[in-house]
Amino acid sequence: MRLRHRRALVLIAVTTLASTAAAPVQASPRPPTPEKVPVATGYGGAVATVDLDATKVGLEVLRKGGNAVDAAVAAAATLGVTEPFSAGIGGGGFFVYYSAKDRRVYTIDGREAAPMTMGETAFVDPATGLPYAFPEARVSGIAAGVPGTLATWEKALRKWGTADLGDALRPAAKVADRGFTVDSTFRTQISDNAAAFGQFSSTSELYLPGGLPPEAGTVFRNPDLADTYRLIAKQGTGVFYRGAVARDIVDTVQHPPVADVPIGTWAYPIRPGTMALSDLARYQVRTPSPTRVSYRGYDVYGMPTPSSGGQAVGEALNILEQTDLSALTRTGALHQYLEASALAFADRNRFVGDNTPRPLLEQLLSDGFAKERACLINPAQALVKPVAPGEPDGAYGGCAAGAPSPAVTEGQSTTNLTVADRWGNVVEYTLTIEQTGGNGMVVPGRGFLLNNEMTDFNFTPTQGSAADPNLPGPGKRPRSSMAPTIVLADGRPFLAVGTPGGSTIITTVLQILVNRLDLGMTLPEAVAAARATQRNTAAVLGEAEFAPEIPGLTALGHTFAASPEIGAATGIEFLSHGRFLAAAEPVRRGGGSAGVVWPVAGS
Ligand code: GLU
């Protein structure tokens, strides 16, 4: 803690006494060591992540008097160690924050930025005029954008935290030094990436020791990352954006550390990128105001562009609000959910990118536009997909559909965390390096992977004769689907939720909200429920557990294809009398970790 926060500490002490006094008798006298459980109820603050180590670190920060932002950054830094294939300082993300003091929601856009040299055809092979195959584009220097994660942490702590960055990085550095136990998810993520990782000396040294992924149950250490965190703790983010680490990042992008003797074969050339020191030096996070829609009396806040999360979740909710889902059969409600999602995706694909003007975004989130879109839904018959985008022009009343536009979807990795403190502050934070394993390149000597976020741009125009809002451009940020979401009731936090999963992020957040707000599920039930995703494609993708819903929906004209598990959500619900209900996945990604500072006995 910095000295200038002594006043905050005194306040913390006073509030702690007050909240302890108010806590019911069944709260345990000392916080027990958290175990890995997907649901926790209690007092004093809550953390939900995909990983026990990260949740423990976040809870410890809260227990010692830190606030939700301090705990979120410390937990995120720990995820950079234990979930390095999903997120880390080589990537970016979106941070949504409810400030209890201001009773307002704020955001930080820490999305990766394209180098200033990146043009519209960056992913088109000059030799053939054709776009690169996805794996070729992904495992390249071209794919890496200027990372925004560290700048996000710094901004969040400066604006709202009580810890400094060094404090927040220390527990994670400890985990990186001391090591953590490899689980089957960690091992599988390496074996799934072995061909890409094996091409680079730095990555194979770290993640393929002796040529193989580490065994589940063994202890994994990352001393280089511990050193990098300590270096940043000591010297500040300047060392990353303008100093020695910046030089190493640029070197990795421009001269990928290809192994003399690669492990396994890779079918594509490894192309360097053009990111320069000046690109890192000019990187800034942005702090746009959140998107907001009202839904059944709640206020739902999300992330604006360059994420499409706030637009697509918000537009779909606006469409759904035209119908009372609780009065429908389960099949009828799911039909509405799938149709609203397809319509919102059509508009996302046509209109949403980094340069979308804010007034256009507001039109996409307007009730007038939603009514026009909702009237296309036939309760008895599924629309033919892909559906056409609408006309968010401010003049509403019709029910016309234009020409269909092709669907656009993306891959999956990423991680999400939710933190709340005893003062009522809330963080919902989704962070990523894009694909599981990013671009496959560990920055030599630094212990972290670079992202491949630039492949979230469309490689070639996707919107026929209309302009594509998501083509690459200098300094541009690729469109995201990340949808960290905070729901308020009467201006106070009611629920916070988010998930990874590429463009399925949008449908997963939407489905959890519908499950919770319309279909009578508790938050843990809403998170655990079987998922299906309709992103304006011919077939709905459904998890195996969604099978019982399929006959009814097929009768309405939906078609289905099987999907492996979708997403890995975390969330917190704010119960009465200051109680928190933290929820993570019971099964997906090996199960997540929910915790509260003071558990209520029996929860
Ligand atoms: N890169 C994706 C996005 O920004 C996230 C990747 C994922 O969640 O799998 O939308």
Side-chain angles (χ1 to χ4, degrees), residues 48-51 54-55 72 75-88 92-94 149 153 189 412-418 428-436 453 482-484 498-502 505 567-570 589 591-593:
T49 80
V50 297
D51 174 68
T55 297
T78 307
L79 290 171
V81 179
T82 58
E83 294 275 312
F85 314 116
S86 296
F94 297 100
T149 289
W153 297 349
Q189 289 179 333
Q412 330 208 340
S413 79
T414 310
T415 194
N416 185 80
L417 59 100
T418 315
E428 189 60 50
Y429 183 26
T430 316
L431 58 162
T432 186
I433 55 173
E434 216 304 275
Q435 291 285 297
T436 305
E453 216 72 49
M482 290 188 267
T499 183
I505 289 172
T570 68
R589 283 233 191 141
S593 167

Side-chain angles (χ1 to χ4, degrees), residues 370-525:
K371 284 200 178 94
E372 207 169 85
R373 300 300 274 153
C375 83
L376 293 168
I377 300 178
N378 177 348
Q381 180 64 50
L383 294 160
V384 175
K385 314 293 184 313
V387 297
E391 288 182 24
D393 54 6
Y396 303 120
C399 200
S405 59
V408 185
T409 55
E410 293 105 35
Q412 330 208 340
S413 79
T414 310
T415 194
N416 185 80
L417 59 100
T418 315
V419 181
D421 64 32
R422 71 189 89 159
W423 301 282
N425 303 303
V426 186
V427 173
E428 189 60 50
Y429 183 26
T430 316
L431 58 162
T432 186
I433 55 173
E434 216 304 275
Q435 291 285 297
T436 305
N439 83 341
M441 300 176 201
V442 166
V443 177
R446 302 297 183 186
F448 65 91
L449 281 156
L450 287 178
N451 69 84
N452 69 299
E453 216 72 49
M454 299 299 100
T455 63
D456 271 359
F457 284 122
N458 295 334
F459 292 6
T460 53
T462 62
Q463 297 301 305
S465 57
D468 186 318
N470 191 36
L471 292 174
K476 197 172 170 185
R477 300 180 184 198
R479 178 175 60 210
S480 168
S481 301
M482 290 188 267
T485 301
I486 294 181
V487 181
L488 305 187
D490 300 321
R492 307 249 178 227
F494 170 71
L495 185 74
V497 68
T499 183
S503 54
T504 69
I505 289 172
I506 289 165
T507 57
T508 294
V509 168
L510 181 63
Q511 199 176 355
I512 290 171
L513 292 176
V514 167
N515 285 344
R516 175 66 192 86
L517 302 178
D518 293 298
L519 303 184
M521 294 186 199
T522 63
L523 179 63
E525 287 167 353

